[in-house]
Amino acid sequence: METLGWIAFGSIIAAGLCMGIGAIGPAIGEGMALSRALSSIAQQPDETNTIVKFLFVGMAMVESTAIYCFVLAMILLFANPFWSYFLEKAGG
Amino acid sequence: METLGWIAFGSIIAAGLCMGIGAIGPAIGEGMALSRALSSIAQQPDETNTIVKFLFVGMAMVESTAIYCFVLAMILLFANPFWSYFLEKAGG
Amino acid sequence: METLGWIAFGSIIAAGLCMGIGAIGPAIGEGMALSRALSSIAQQPDETNTIVKFLFVGMAMVESTAIYCFVLAMILLFANPFWSYFLEKAGG
Amino acid sequence: METLGWIAFGSIIAAGLCMGIGAIGPAIGEGMALSRALSSIAQQPDETNTIVKFLFVGMAMVESTAIYCFVLAMILLFANPFWSYFLEKAGG
Amino acid sequence: METLGWIAFGSIIAAGLCMGIGAIGPAIGEGMALSRALSSIAQQPDETNTIVKFLFVGMAMVESTAIYCFVLAMILLFANPFWSYFLEKAGG
Amino acid sequence: METLGWIAFGSIIAAGLCMGIGAIGPAIGEGMALSRALSSIAQQPDETNTIVKFLFVGMAMVESTAIYCFVLAMILLFANPFWSYFLEKAGG
Amino acid sequence: METLGWIAFGSIIAAGLCMGIGAIGPAIGEGMALSRALSSIAQQPDETNTIVKFLFVGMAMVESTAIYCFVLAMILLFANPFWSYFLEKAGG
Amino acid sequence: METLGWIAFGSIIAAGLCMGIGAIGPAIGEGMALSRALSSIAQQPDETNTIVKFLFVGMAMVESTAIYCFVLAMILLFANPFWSYFLEKAGG
Amino acid sequence: METLGWIAFGSIIAAGLCMGIGAIGPAIGEGMALSRALSSIAQQPDETNTIVKFLFVGMAMVESTAIYCFVLAMILLFANPFWSYFLEKAGG
Amino acid sequence: METLGWIAFGSIIAAGLCMGIGAIGPAIGEGMALSRALSSIAQQPDETNTIVKFLFVGMAMVESTAIYCFVLAMILLFANPFWSYFLEKAGG
Amino acid sequence: METLGWIAFGSIIAAGLCMGIGAIGPAIGEGMALSRALSSIAQQPDETNTIVKFLFVGMAMVESTAIYCFVLAMILLFANPFWSYFLEKAGG
Amino acid sequence: METLGWIAFGSIIAAGLCMGIGAIGPAIGEGMALSRALSSIAQQPDETNTIVKFLFVGMAMVESTAIYCFVLAMILLFANPFWSYFLEKAGG
Amino acid sequence: METLGWIAFGSIIAAGLCMGIGAIGPAIGEGMALSRALSSIAQQPDETNTIVKFLFVGMAMVESTAIYCFVLAMILLFANPFWSYFLEKAGG
Amino acid sequence: METLGWIAFGSIIAAGLCMGIGAIGPAIGEGMALSRALSSIAQQPDETNTIVKFLFVGMAMVESTAIYCFVLAMILLFANPFWSYFLEKAGG
């Protein structure tokens, strides 16, 4: 397998593992926040608006770590600088 | 095995592991949120609508990390840029 | 072993691991939700209908991550795009 | 070992691991639900029927993830599309 | 070692791991249910019959995941379709 | 090493791991049930007979998963169908 | 190394791992039961005889999983059917 | 594969693992902080502004560890000093 | 390295791992029992004799799993049947 | 691949793992401190200034372990003494 | 490397791992017992003598599992029967 | 790759792993201490000075284990005695 | 590499792992005992002398498992019987 | 790579792992002790001197396990007896 193939192979494996492992943390973190928010709403219904507003802002922040992983996986697949270089070299 | 075969082999393994590992977190996170929501409903039946509304919005957000994994697995299988390239080269 | 064989071998292993690992999270998540729901019913029998309705909607959502894994395993076994390509090439 | 043998070997290993790992989650999830249900019955004997009805519906749902694994293992052993192909090719 | 030997070797290893790993979950799940049931009987002796009836129905359901593993191990050892095929081929 | 030797080698390793790993779950599960049963007896001495009766029935059920492992290990060592076949072939 | 040597080597490793891993579960399970029994005796000294009787019967049951491992290790070392066969063959 | 290829391959794998593993901690840490903040708001609505202000400052600090990982992954992909050197040498 | 050397090498490794891993469980189990016993004595000084008597009988039982491991390690080192056989063969 | 390439390859992998693993601890540690600080503010609003001051000083200290990892990764990439030596030798 | 060297190499590795892994359990077990004993003394100063007496007898028992490991490591290093045999053979 | 290269390669990997793994413990330990200190300040504002003084002295002590790791990593990179020796030999 | 080199190499690795792994348990065990002792002193200042006396005696006992590891590492490095033998043979 | 190189390579890896793994336990143990000490000071300010005195004596003892690791790493790097021997031999 030539170099171009190894770069593609490595990018596919790295993207898959990065997204797979990186989805564990955010999902559990958001689940904890969400579960606590819902029981807080039940205890303090008057504060629903405040709690929900900051819940979603906060979850967006937690989600950001998952998005970093997704962005990195997308970069590895669609905007991989190493792939571009070797592609250009192979095509030259 | 030629390069095309390795790309396919790698994509299959990466898609399988990404989805398999990536399903652990969201499922546990949603389970925590759901279980707390149900006991909140039992304690505060009047708030059922509010709790349920935000529960499903929040679970959709947690689910999003699983969906990232699923999307990535689908991209690896059906819209793999590396596969497209090597396919084109092999067919050229 | 020719390329066709490796694609089949990889798909089988990936499908098995994806489903096996992916069944851990949803089952535990649903178990947590179910156990909390049942004790909520015992504490608040009047809310049984509400709790049960949202329990099953929520469990269906948790189940969805297991279904993603199952769908992916089925795709790998029965609608594998890489297999189709190599099959066609081998048959051509 | 020819390709046919590797497909068989891979299917056996994948079926064993898929079922073995996939039995951990559902069993623990059902155990949690069952244990909470029984203590709820003890606290609220009047609700026994309701609790038990939803316990078994819910456990069936949790069990479904174990069944996915079992179904996949059965497919790998008895309805393996890759095996069928190679068998036909070997027999042709 | 010829193909027939590898199929036998793989089946033995897969059966052993499947049963060994698959016994962890059900045993812990049943232990949790049993321990909670016994303390419920102690708290509510009048409900002993109800609790015990559903305990054993539920434990049978949890046990089912261990039985899936055992069945699969038995299939791999005594009704292995791949073994049958290669045996027939070798004997033919 | 001929095929017969590999079958024996694999059976020994699989039997050892199956029993070793498979003993973790039942022992912990039974320990949980036993410990809760004893504290229940202390709290409700009048129910000793009921608790003990169902404790041992239940522990037998938990023990069954350990026994599955032991049975499988025994089958692998003393009634291994693959060994029988190769033995017969070697002796024929 | 001839086949006889591999059988011996495998039996030694399998016996060691089986006993080593298999000792974790029973010891922790018995420790849990024992610790709870002692605090029950302290709370309910009048029930000492009952608690102790069932503690030791129960611990014997938990111990049984460790004994399965020990028995298997002994079988592998002193009554190994595969060793007997190869020994006989080598001596014949 | 020449040196340039190995540098690219290593950078891709290292970037993927660094981001994947590095997303677990911050997401869980932020989830803990967020969940506690929301329940604090519910208990002390008057302090909402103070809590939220420091929540987001603190989460930004936790997020910084995820950002270190992202920055490192970006450096490895787009500003890799080793790649630059070998590229220059190869192009020279 | 001849067969005799491999048997010795395997016995040494197996004995070391068996004892090392097998010491984790009993030590933690006995620690749990001991810690609970001491706090029970503090709460119920009058029962010191009873508690201590059964504590040491119980700890001896927990210790037995460690002793199984030690016995097995000693057998592997000093009464290894495989070693005896090969020694005799080598000396014959 | 010449020595220079291996040094670069090793530095990339080491930097990635160091930062990835090293981000888990600080993020969880800071998350714990932050979550407790916010609930303390809610309980004792008058102490907000004191709590926040020491929270950020303390988090900076926890952050320092993540910064050690980042610094080390940067040294490995941009100020690697081994790379400098081999670069000089290669260029000499 | 001749057989004598491998025996020595294996003994060193086995002794190191046996002691290293075997020190985890006893230390944690004794730590649990000690911490509970000290808080019992604080609660019941009059029982100090009884508690301390049985604490040290019990800790000696827990320590015994660490001592088994140490003894085994010493045997492997200084009284290794396999080493003695090969030494004698080499010296003969 | 000559010896000098391997020494450099090993030092880089060892420094990266040492710092990466060694940052987990101190960060979590400091996080626990900090979180408890802040809630103590909230409960006992009058003791703020005492608590904070000993908090930072104690955290410095916990930090010391991270610093040992950092120092070791720095020694491996910048004051490595083995590198010095081989460098001198290579340059001699 | 001659035998003498392998013995040295193995001793270094075994000493490092033995001490590294063996330091986890005692440090956590002593931390638990120390933390409980300090809170006991706070609750029962009059018993400070008794608690502290037995705390340090007990911690010395826990420390002993770490010392076993250290002693073993020292023996492996400075009083290694296998090294002495091979050294003598090499020097003879 | 000659023997001298392997000894250096092994010492570097062993020192790095020993310090890295060995820093986890002490840091967490000290963190537990410190956090409990601070909350004890808050509850019992009058005992500050006593608590702090024994806290630092105790933490020094916990720290000792980290110091053992550091000492061992230093010995491996700067006073390695095996290195001295081979160095002398190489220089002789």
Side-chain angles (χ1 to χ4, degrees):
Chain A
M1 194 160 65
E2 77 277 39
T3 304
L4 203 56
W6 274 104
I7 299 300
F9 188 77
S11 302
I12 289 167
I13 297 293
L17 284 182
C18 171
M19 191 69 246
I21 298 174
I24 296 174
I28 291 180
E30 292 179 26
M32 291 192 305
L34 181 57
S35 71
R36 195 69 73 92
L38 295 175
S39 66
S40 297
I41 290 173
Q43 283 160 11
Q44 199 71 292
D46 299 343
E47 292 301 312
T48 302
N49 285 335
T50 317
I51 290 171
V52 163
K53 185 172 68 190
F54 294 121
L55 170 67
F56 287 112
V57 174
M59 279 176 80
M61 210 152 165
V62 179
E63 187 81 9
S64 72
T65 62
I67 288 172
Y68 291 166
C69 292
F70 192 64
V71 164
L72 187 62
M74 287 300 107
I75 287 173
L76 287 177
L77 290 185
F78 295 106
N80 195 324
F82 302 120
W83 170 258
S84 309
Y85 170 77
F86 285 109
L87 201 62
E88 198 178 334
K89 209 173 74 174
Chain B
M1 195 161 64
E2 78 277 40
T3 304
L4 203 56
W6 274 103
I7 300 300
F9 187 78
S11 302
I12 288 167
I13 297 292
L17 284 182
C18 170
M19 191 69 246
I21 298 174
I24 296 174
I28 291 180
E30 292 179 26
M32 292 191 305
L34 181 57
S35 72
R36 195 68 73 91
L38 294 174
S39 67
S40 297
I41 290 173
Q43 283 161 11
Q44 200 71 291
D46 299 344
E47 292 301 313
T48 301
N49 285 336
T50 317
I51 290 170
V52 163
K53 186 172 68 190
F54 294 120
L55 170 68
F56 287 112
V57 174
M59 279 176 81
M61 210 151 165
V62 178
E63 187 82 9
S64 72
T65 62
I67 289 173
Y68 291 166
C69 292
F70 192 64
V71 163
L72 187 63
M74 287 299 106
I75 287 174
L76 287 178
L77 291 184
F78 294 106
N80 195 323
F82 302 120
W83 170 259
S84 309
Y85 171 78
F86 284 109
L87 201 62
E88 198 179 332
K89 208 173 73 174
Chain C
M1 195 161 64
E2 78 277 40
T3 304
L4 203 56
W6 274 104
I7 299 300
F9 187 77
S11 302
I12 288 167
I13 296 291
L17 284 182
C18 171
M19 191 69 245
I21 299 174
I24 296 174
I28 291 180
E30 292 179 26
M32 292 191 306
L34 181 56
S35 72
R36 195 68 73 91
L38 295 174
S39 66
S40 298
I41 290 173
Q43 283 161 10
Q44 200 70 291
D46 298 344
E47 292 302 312
T48 301
N49 285 336
T50 317
I51 290 171
V52 164
K53 186 172 67 189
F54 294 120
L55 169 69
F56 287 112
V57 174
M59 278 175 82
M61 211 151 165
V62 179
E63 188 81 8
S64 72
T65 63
I67 288 173
Y68 291 166
C69 291
F70 192 63
V71 163
L72 187 63
M74 288 299 106
I75 286 174
L76 287 178
L77 291 184
F78 294 107
N80 195 324
F82 303 119
W83 170 259
S84 308
Y85 171 77
F86 285 108
L87 202 62
E88 199 179 331
K89 209 174 73 175
Chain D
M1 193 161 65
E2 79 277 41
T3 304
L4 204 56
W6 274 104
I7 300 300
F9 187 78
S11 302
I12 289 167
I13 297 291
L17 284 182
C18 171
M19 191 69 244
I21 298 174
I24 296 174
I28 291 180
E30 292 179 27
M32 292 192 305
L34 181 56
S35 72
R36 195 68 73 91
L38 294 175
S39 66
S40 297
I41 290 174
Q43 283 160 11
Q44 201 70 289
D46 299 343
E47 292 301 313
T48 301
N49 285 336
T50 317
I51 290 171
V52 164
K53 187 171 66 188
F54 294 120
L55 169 68
F56 287 112
V57 174
M59 278 175 81
M61 210 151 165
V62 179
E63 188 82 8
S64 73
T65 62
I67 288 173
Y68 291 165
C69 292
F70 192 63
V71 164
L72 187 63
M74 288 300 105
I75 287 173
L76 287 177
L77 291 184
F78 295 106
N80 195 325
F82 302 119
W83 170 259
S84 308
Y85 171 77
F86 284 109
L87 202 61
E88 198 178 332
K89 209 174 73 174
Chain E
M1 193 161 65
E2 79 277 40
T3 304
L4 204 56
W6 274 104
I7 299 300
F9 188 78
S11 302
I12 289 168
I13 296 292
L17 284 183
C18 171
M19 190 69 244
I21 299 174
I24 297 174
I28 291 180
E30 291 179 26
M32 292 192 305
L34 181 56
S35 72
R36 195 68 73 90
L38 295 174
S39 66
S40 297
I41 290 174
Q43 283 160 11
Q44 200 71 290
D46 298 343
E47 292 302 312
T48 301
N49 285 336
T50 317
I51 290 171
V52 163
K53 187 171 67 189
F54 295 120
L55 169 68
F56 286 113
V57 174
M59 278 175 81
M61 211 153 165
V62 179
E63 188 81 8
S64 72
T65 62
I67 289 172
Y68 291 166
C69 292
F70 192 63
V71 163
L72 187 63
M74 288 299 105
I75 287 173
L76 287 178
L77 291 184
F78 295 106
N80 195 325
F82 302 119
W83 170 259
S84 307
Y85 170 78
F86 284 109
L87 201 63
E88 199 178 330
K89 210 174 73 174
Chain F
M1 192 160 66
E2 80 276 41
T3 305
L4 204 56
W6 274 104
I7 299 301
F9 188 78
S11 302
I12 289 167
I13 296 292
L17 284 182
C18 171
M19 191 69 244
I21 299 175
I24 296 174
I28 291 180
E30 291 179 26
M32 291 192 305
L34 180 57
S35 72
R36 195 67 74 91
L38 295 174
S39 66
S40 297
I41 291 174
Q43 283 160 11
Q44 200 70 291
D46 298 343
E47 292 301 313
T48 301
N49 285 337
T50 317
I51 290 171
V52 163
K53 186 171 68 189
F54 294 120
L55 170 68
F56 286 112
V57 174
M59 278 175 81
M61 211 152 165
V62 179
E63 188 82 8
S64 72
T65 63
I67 288 173
Y68 291 166
C69 291
F70 192 63
V71 164
L72 187 62
M74 289 299 106
I75 286 173
L76 287 177
L77 290 185
F78 294 106
N80 195 324
F82 302 119
W83 170 260
S84 308
Y85 170 78
F86 284 108
L87 201 63
E88 198 178 330
K89 209 175 72 175
Chain G
M1 192 161 65
E2 79 276 40
T3 304
L4 204 56
W6 274 104
I7 299 300
F9 187 78
S11 302
I12 289 168
I13 297 292
L17 284 183
C18 172
M19 191 69 244
I21 299 174
I24 296 174
I28 291 181
E30 291 179 27
M32 291 192 306
L34 180 57
S35 71
R36 194 68 73 91
L38 295 175
S39 65
S40 297
I41 290 174
Q43 283 161 11
Q44 200 71 292
D46 298 343
E47 292 301 312
T48 302
N49 285 337
T50 318
I51 290 171
V52 163
K53 186 171 68 190
F54 294 120
L55 170 68
F56 286 113
V57 175
M59 278 176 80
M61 210 152 165
V62 179
E63 187 81 8
S64 72
T65 62
I67 289 172
Y68 291 166
C69 292
F70 193 63
V71 163
L72 187 63
M74 288 298 105
I75 287 173
L76 286 177
L77 290 185
F78 294 107
N80 195 324
F82 302 119
W83 170 260
S84 307
Y85 171 78
F86 284 107
L87 201 63
E88 199 178 329
K89 210 175 72 174
Chain H
M1 194 160 64
E2 76 277 40
T3 304
L4 203 56
W6 274 104
I7 299 300
F9 188 77
S11 302
I12 289 168
I13 296 293
L17 284 182
C18 171
M19 191 69 245
I21 298 174
I24 296 174
I28 292 181
E30 292 179 25
M32 291 192 306
L34 181 57
S35 71
R36 195 68 73 91
L38 294 174
S39 65
S40 298
I41 290 173
Q43 283 160 11
Q44 199 71 293
D46 300 343
E47 292 301 312
T48 302
N49 285 336
T50 317
I51 290 171
V52 164
K53 186 172 68 190
F54 294 121
L55 170 67
F56 286 112
V57 174
M59 279 176 79
M61 211 152 165
V62 179
E63 187 81 9
S64 71
T65 62
I67 289 172
Y68 292 166
C69 292
F70 192 65
V71 164
L72 187 63
M74 288 298 107
I75 287 173
L76 287 177
L77 291 184
F78 295 106
N80 195 324
F82 302 120
W83 170 259
S84 308
Y85 170 78
F86 284 109
L87 201 63
E88 198 178 332
K89 209 173 73 174
Chain I
M1 192 161 65
E2 79 276 39
T3 304
L4 203 56
W6 274 104
I7 299 300
F9 187 77
S11 302
I12 289 167
I13 297 292
L17 284 182
C18 172
M19 190 69 245
I21 299 174
I24 296 174
I28 292 180
E30 291 180 26
M32 291 191 306
L34 181 58
S35 72
R36 194 68 72 91
L38 295 174
S39 66
S40 297
I41 290 173
Q43 283 161 12
Q44 200 70 291
D46 298 342
E47 292 301 312
T48 302
N49 285 337
T50 317
I51 290 172
V52 164
K53 185 172 68 189
F54 294 121
L55 170 68
F56 286 112
V57 174
M59 279 176 81
M61 211 153 165
V62 179
E63 187 81 9
S64 71
T65 62
I67 289 172
Y68 291 166
C69 292
F70 192 63
V71 163
L72 187 63
M74 288 298 106
I75 286 173
L76 287 177
L77 290 185
F78 294 107
N80 195 324
F82 302 119
W83 170 260
S84 307
Y85 170 79
F86 284 108
L87 201 62
E88 198 178 331
K89 209 174 74 174
Chain J
M1 192 160 66
E2 77 277 39
T3 304
L4 203 55
W6 274 104
I7 299 300
F9 187 77
S11 302
I12 289 168
I13 296 293
L17 284 182
C18 171
M19 191 69 244
I21 299 174
I24 296 174
I28 292 180
E30 292 178 26
M32 292 191 306
L34 181 57
S35 72
R36 195 68 74 91
L38 295 174
S39 65
S40 297
I41 289 173
Q43 282 160 11
Q44 199 71 291
D46 299 344
E47 292 301 312
T48 303
N49 285 336
T50 317
I51 291 171
V52 164
K53 186 172 67 190
F54 295 121
L55 169 68
F56 287 112
V57 175
M59 279 175 79
M61 211 153 165
V62 178
E63 187 81 9
S64 72
T65 62
I67 288 172
Y68 291 166
C69 291
F70 192 64
V71 164
L72 187 62
M74 288 299 106
I75 287 173
L76 287 177
L77 290 184
F78 295 106
N80 195 323
F82 302 120
W83 170 260
S84 308
Y85 170 78
F86 285 108
L87 201 63
E88 198 178 332
K89 209 174 74 174
Chain K
M1 192 161 66
E2 78 276 40
T3 304
L4 202 57
W6 274 104
I7 299 301
F9 187 77
S11 302
I12 289 167
I13 297 292
L17 284 182
C18 171
M19 191 69 244
I21 299 174
I24 297 174
I28 292 180
E30 291 179 26
M32 291 191 306
L34 180 57
S35 72
R36 194 68 72 92
L38 295 174
S39 66
S40 298
I41 290 173
Q43 283 161 12
Q44 199 71 293
D46 298 343
E47 292 302 312
T48 302
N49 285 336
T50 317
I51 290 171
V52 164
K53 185 171 68 189
F54 295 120
L55 170 67
F56 286 113
V57 174
M59 279 176 81
M61 211 152 166
V62 179
E63 187 82 8
S64 72
T65 62
I67 288 172
Y68 291 166
C69 292
F70 192 63
V71 164
L72 187 63
M74 288 299 105
I75 287 173
L76 287 177
L77 291 184
F78 294 107
N80 195 325
F82 302 119
W83 170 259
S84 307
Y85 170 78
F86 284 109
L87 201 62
E88 198 179 331
K89 209 174 74 174
Chain L
M1 193 160 67
E2 77 277 40
T3 304
L4 203 55
W6 274 104
I7 299 300
F9 187 77
S11 301
I12 289 168
I13 297 293
L17 284 182
C18 171
M19 190 69 245
I21 299 174
I24 297 174
I28 291 180
E30 292 179 25
M32 292 191 306
L34 181 57
S35 72
R36 194 67 73 91
L38 294 175
S39 65
S40 297
I41 290 173
Q43 283 160 12
Q44 199 70 292
D46 298 344
E47 292 301 312
T48 302
N49 285 336
T50 317
I51 291 171
V52 164
K53 185 171 68 189
F54 294 121
L55 169 68
F56 287 112
V57 174
M59 279 176 80
M61 211 152 165
V62 178
E63 187 82 8
S64 71
T65 62
I67 288 173
Y68 291 167
C69 291
F70 192 64
V71 163
L72 188 62
M74 288 299 106
I75 287 173
L76 287 178
L77 290 184
F78 295 106
N80 195 324
F82 302 119
W83 169 259
S84 308
Y85 170 78
F86 285 108
L87 201 62
E88 198 179 332
K89 209 174 74 174
Chain M
M1 193 160 66
E2 78 276 39
T3 304
L4 203 56
W6 274 104
I7 299 300
F9 187 77
S11 302
I12 289 167
I13 297 292
L17 284 182
C18 171
M19 190 69 245
I21 299 174
I24 297 174
I28 291 180
E30 292 179 25
M32 292 191 306
L34 181 57
S35 72
R36 194 70 73 91
L38 294 175
S39 66
S40 297
I41 290 173
Q43 283 161 12
Q44 199 71 293
D46 299 343
E47 292 301 312
T48 302
N49 285 335
T50 317
I51 290 171
V52 163
K53 185 171 68 189
F54 295 120
L55 170 68
F56 286 112
V57 175
M59 279 176 80
M61 211 153 166
V62 178
E63 187 82 7
S64 72
T65 62
I67 288 173
Y68 291 166
C69 292
F70 192 64
V71 163
L72 187 62
M74 287 299 106
I75 287 173
L76 287 177
L77 290 184
F78 294 107
N80 195 323
F82 302 120
W83 169 260
S84 307
Y85 171 78
F86 284 109
L87 201 63
E88 198 179 331
K89 209 174 75 174
Chain N
M1 193 160 67
E2 78 277 40
T3 304
L4 202 56
W6 274 104
I7 299 300
F9 187 77
S11 301
I12 289 168
I13 297 293
L17 284 182
C18 171
M19 190 69 245
I21 299 174
I24 297 174
I28 292 180
E30 292 179 25
M32 292 192 305
L34 181 57
S35 72
R36 194 69 74 91
L38 295 174
S39 65
S40 297
I41 290 173
Q43 283 161 11
Q44 199 70 292
D46 298 344
E47 293 301 311
T48 301
N49 285 336
T50 317
I51 290 171
V52 163
K53 186 171 68 190
F54 295 120
L55 169 68
F56 287 112
V57 175
M59 279 175 80
M61 211 152 165
V62 178
E63 188 82 8
S64 72
T65 62
I67 288 173
Y68 291 166
C69 292
F70 192 63
V71 164
L72 187 62
M74 288 299 106
I75 287 173
L76 287 178
L77 291 184
F78 295 106
N80 195 324
F82 302 120
W83 170 260
S84 307
Y85 170 78
F86 285 108
L87 201 63
E88 198 179 331
K89 209 174 73 174

